[in-house]
Amino acid sequence: MSPETFTRKLKKLGYTPHNAHELLGTGRSSNFKYASGAAEVPKVVELLLDMYERHGVPDRKTK
């Protein structure tokens, strides 16, 4: 996944590299590396973004 695609998918879901850790369970520094192209987006992150794009992001209601 290209850095542009990573950033575009986050934006479509209402996230940025700054707050994507809440969505993906990744570190902030990793997200900035993915967005800048300094690191390759892991396949699991790519699949998770695709799933959220297709099915939406579940509500984070606490009990």
Side-chain angles (χ1 to χ4, degrees):
M1 172 180 286
S2 72
E4 296 80 14
T5 301
F6 176 74
T7 305
R8 179 181 47 78
K9 286 181 179 257
L10 287 179
K11 185 175 181 179
K12 185 175 178 182
L13 295 168
Y15 288 83
T16 66
H18 180 73
N19 65 358
H21 67 282
E22 299 168 2
L23 177 69
L24 303 173
T26 53
R28 285 184 182 165
S29 61
S30 295
N31 295 330
F32 283 108
K33 289 177 184 176
Y34 305 151
S36 71
E40 188 174 328
V41 178
K43 187 65 174 179
V44 68
V45 172
E46 184 177 342
L47 292 171
L48 188 58
L49 284 171
D50 287 342
M51 182 190 73
Y52 285 146
E53 229 178 1
R54 291 179 188 184
H55 303 288
V57 177
D59 289 336
R60 295 188 58 163
K61 295 180 182 175
T62 57
K63 293 182 179 183

